[in-house]
Amino acid sequence: MKRYYIETYGCQMNVADSELVSGLMEQSGYVPAESEYEADAIFLNTCAIREHAEEKIHSRLGTLRKLKEGRPETIIGLLGCMAQHVKDDILEHKSYVDFVLGPDSYRRLPALLRRQKETANSIVDTRLSRFEVYENLYPSRNEGINAWVSIMRGCDKFCTFCIVPFTRGRERSRIMASIVEEVEQAVAQGFVEITLLGQNVNSYRSEGSRFPELLHAVSEVPAVERIRFTSPHPQDVDDEMLFVMRDRPNICNSVHLPLQAGSDRILNRMNRTYTKSEFISLAERIRHILPGCGLSTDIIAGFPGETEEEFAQTLEVMERVNFDSAFTFKYSPRPGTKAEEYSNHISEEVKQGRLQQLIELQARHTLERNQNEIGKTVKVLVEKESKKSSADWAGRTDNNKWVIFPKGAAQIRDLTDVRIVAAKGVSLFGELAQIGEMPHAVA
Ligand code: SAH
Ligand code: SF4
Ligand code: F3S
């Protein structure tokens, strides 16, 4: 029996793609390996979003080269967003890599595995497709609570800092009926939470249907306890989407709303299509229609030409919106993007200093927002054992906050009432509500 092993880097889209590749490998007669040391085929599903992500892959390839020296028959494949960038280097210098496949080429994997036996050269296919959405391919999902369901691929927004439109190609959506069918199958397999995925998940558009209709249709699939989606673009958030979220109880009360920067000049140079005040109004609108909604964001420090005053506007938007959480990054120049060619790149030292300010401000906001939850009884989906203690469960609230609480009689997959008693760091701490409400009965 042949074994395969996939290591996944980058965003959830890559996690979902790795599950597709797993499905294809299993169709080709492979079974999953516990580690790379037991695998006949090893794949790295790569990310190119920042330079650091690419460096990690280069160092991993070095280790795999050594592994292959000891076991020359091992197949090594490089998949995903770095494929385009590295293909020339692989062809010229890294013949131990057998496959380089871009994100739209996975369907060909079984045929290429057969061909690989007959050729000594690396097989490279990094063509991007206008149509491929991997319809009728079934992902081999990791067991768990949450099933990733990819609904659209690619991005047409072309933010000037971002490599994704080049690595993933043009936007295209799956048809609604097939998404709903995939959700039904995931539920039949025991998944209780569905996360809809796309680089711009809410620009979904298929046969006249838009994202709000799709959300509604998915929320009507019986036994779907929770629906999440990522990553939306602020430009495509409309009232209709918010109304569906408000009216359907199983759609989680949380929105990821990437800000990127606070100054209008920088937003314009980023090609983000909204202004500072439009962004703030949108955040307020979301919290007005969806009270208690969790808001998370992405922010970049030190975009080319960003002055101290402009950076201060990012902090100001953060103060106005009070995000529940934020992913913060130093700007990383990406070859081939427009921003890479801009003048006035910011020094590493200044970027680091700004990043530090973002992290500190967000830590304060996260704590403040979490402290608001203390005393409330909230529904938590029990997801896994706490990393710190085998006596505790960890699960998320509807508005996407992690809660740690003593296990009691609760089981994994339960949607259970938890009373929040404390907030520390980025987590909440709670107790099962039945116990919390009847302290004397227990004594
Ligand atoms: N489609 C998603 C973003 C995917 S990339 C969206 O628009 O929200 C995730 C995050 O990585 C981006 O939101 C951005 O904050 C960050 N990012 C992208 N390119 C980057 C770069 N060149 N340098 C630093 N951060 C970057
Ligand atoms: Fe990148 Fe912008 Fe597209 Fe997001 S919307 S993937 S940041 S180009
Ligand atoms: Fe990285 Fe590609 Fe996702 S560049 S963030 S894996 S879309």
Side-chain angles (χ1 to χ4, degrees):
M1 193 79 92
K2 291 204 180 256
R3 296 180 184 275
Y4 74 94
Y5 186 73
I6 308 182
E7 216 165 81
T8 306
Y9 296 81
C11 65
Q12 290 95 339
M13 285 297 288
N14 263 14
V15 176
D17 281 358
S18 288
E19 293 180 347
L20 273 178
V21 171
S22 298
L24 286 161
M25 291 302 284
E26 287 163 27
Q27 269 177 34
S28 305
Y30 282 74
V31 294
E34 291 289 325
S35 79
E36 74 238 49
Y37 302 106
E38 290 142 36
D40 303 285
I42 304 171
F43 296 104
L44 302 181
N45 194 1
T46 63
C47 171
I49 198 82
R50 283 168 291 274
E51 200 178 348
H52 179 65
E54 296 205 340
E55 285 163 0
K56 273 200 285 197
I57 298 295
H58 286 297
S59 92
R60 270 307 273 154
L61 277 178
T63 327
L64 294 182
R65 180 173 58 84
K66 292 210 192 76
L67 184 148
K68 189 153 174 166
E69 278 164 12
R71 289 211 331 255
E73 67 290 351
T74 312
I75 295 173
I76 296 185
L78 199 139
L79 314 176
C81 291
M82 264 172 81
Q84 311 249 7
H85 262 180
V86 296
K87 69 173 182 211
D88 294 336
D89 179 41
I90 300 270
L91 284 171
E92 284 164 35
H93 308 293
K94 297 194 168 82
S95 57
Y96 60 93
V97 176
D98 301 279
F99 289 106
V100 181
L101 297 183
D104 288 344
S105 305
Y106 303 144
R107 203 183 271 279
R108 296 187 57 217
L109 191 56
L112 294 177
L113 278 170
R114 291 192 291 275
R115 208 175 98 197
Q116 189 269 339
K117 296 191 189 105
E118 294 140 30
T119 163
N121 301 328
S122 311
I123 296 177
V124 173
D125 185 352
T126 60
R127 278 170 299 176
L128 292 170
S129 158
R130 281 184 174 275
F131 309 103
E132 182 62 272
V133 286
Y134 294 116
E135 215 64 272
N136 307 318
L137 280 190
Y138 292 99
S140 167
R141 296 184 202 282
N142 289 323
E143 278 172 33
I145 301 293
N146 174 73
W148 307 108
V149 175
S150 147
I151 66 162
M152 57 81 69
R153 301 178 72 86
C155 177
D156 290 348
K157 293 278 195 295
F158 286 95
C159 304
T160 57
F161 51 78
C162 184
I163 193 99
V164 172
F166 304 97
T167 63
R168 292 254 172 189
R170 299 289 59 76
E171 249 176 60
R172 59 217 110 110
S173 297
R174 291 175 58 186
I175 50 175
M176 204 154 93
S178 110
I179 296 169
V180 169
E181 197 187 311
E182 191 177 326
V183 170
E184 286 165 349
Q185 281 172 358
V187 171
Q189 288 168 6
F191 292 94
V192 289
E193 181 181 85
I194 300 292
T195 303
L196 304 177
L197 292 180
Q199 263 86 25
N200 267 301
V201 75
N202 57 338
S203 19
Y204 175 87
R205 209 168 283 272
S206 167
E207 297 175 333
S209 301
R210 292 172 53 256
F211 186 64
E213 286 161 79
L214 175 72
L215 259 187
H216 192 271
V218 169
S219 79
E220 284 189 318
V221 173
V224 179
E225 303 264 18
R226 284 189 164 176
I227 298 160
R228 300 185 186 276
F229 56 89
T230 201
S231 205
H233 191 290
Q235 182 188 320
D236 299 317
V237 174
D238 55 12
D239 279 1
E240 217 180 314
M241 174 185 126
L242 300 174
F243 292 152
V244 175
M245 291 178 72
R246 179 194 63 192
D247 296 341
R248 302 295 304 169
N250 57 357
I251 304 176
C252 288
N253 205 15
S254 108
V255 177
H256 185 62
L257 200 67
L259 166 66
Q260 313 300 2
S263 121
D264 286 344
R265 190 185 73 97
I266 295 295
L267 284 169
N268 184 36
R269 274 163 62 92
M270 286 179 161
N271 192 30
R272 280 301 285 184
T273 72
Y274 49 83
T275 62
K276 172 185 173 191
S277 69
E278 282 165 354
F279 186 94
I280 294 172
S281 308
L282 179 60
E284 284 168 354
R285 180 102 189 122
I286 294 173
R287 288 220 176 102
H288 173 71
I289 297 177
L290 306 171
C293 184
L295 275 185
S296 56
T297 196
D298 293 343
I299 302 178
I300 297 177
F303 184 78
E306 183 186 63
T307 64
E308 280 303 326
E309 293 71 37
E310 285 165 341
F311 175 67
Q313 305 220 21
T314 301
L315 300 174
E316 195 194 319
V317 178
M318 290 171 76
E319 292 283 12
R320 287 284 296 276
V321 175
N322 248 300
F323 295 105
D324 295 86
S325 68
F327 299 93
T328 51
F329 311 100
K330 279 185 280 187
Y331 169 72
S332 169
R334 302 285 63 217
T337 60
K338 214 166 169 184
E340 192 222 3
E341 291 161 22
Y342 286 171
S343 51
N344 301 325
H345 279 255
I346 306 294
S347 75
E348 187 58 27
E349 203 185 341
V350 170
K351 283 197 261 190
Q352 185 60 41
R354 289 182 188 170
L355 178 69
Q356 204 52 40
Q357 291 183 62
L358 294 177
I359 293 171
E360 281 162 25
L361 182 57
Q362 187 53 49
R364 176 156 72 73
H365 288 163
T366 298
L367 193 60
E368 282 168 14
R369 298 280 306 164
N370 285 357
Q371 279 165 344
N372 285 340
E373 305 284 314
I374 296 174
K376 290 185 193 161
T377 295
V378 294
K379 287 260 183 257
V380 174
L381 180 61
V382 184
E383 296 186 41
K384 57 189 181 193
E385 196 164 86
S386 157
K387 281 191 204 117
K388 296 223 176 89
S389 154
S390 62
D392 293 340
W393 289 132
R396 275 177 300 166
T397 62
D398 192 40
N399 61 4
N400 210 17
K401 294 172 188 287
W402 282 97
V403 187
I404 314 293
F405 57 99
K407 286 182 176 173
Q411 302 287 327
I412 284 191
R413 284 191 174 72
D414 284 355
L415 200 53
T416 184
D417 284 326
V418 175
R419 202 167 68 87
I420 304 302
V421 295
K424 270 183 234 139
V426 294
S427 305
L428 296 170
F429 294 81
E431 50 195 32
L432 287 171
Q434 301 88 303
I435 298 169
E437 279 159 14
M438 303 183 293
H440 303 296
V442 175

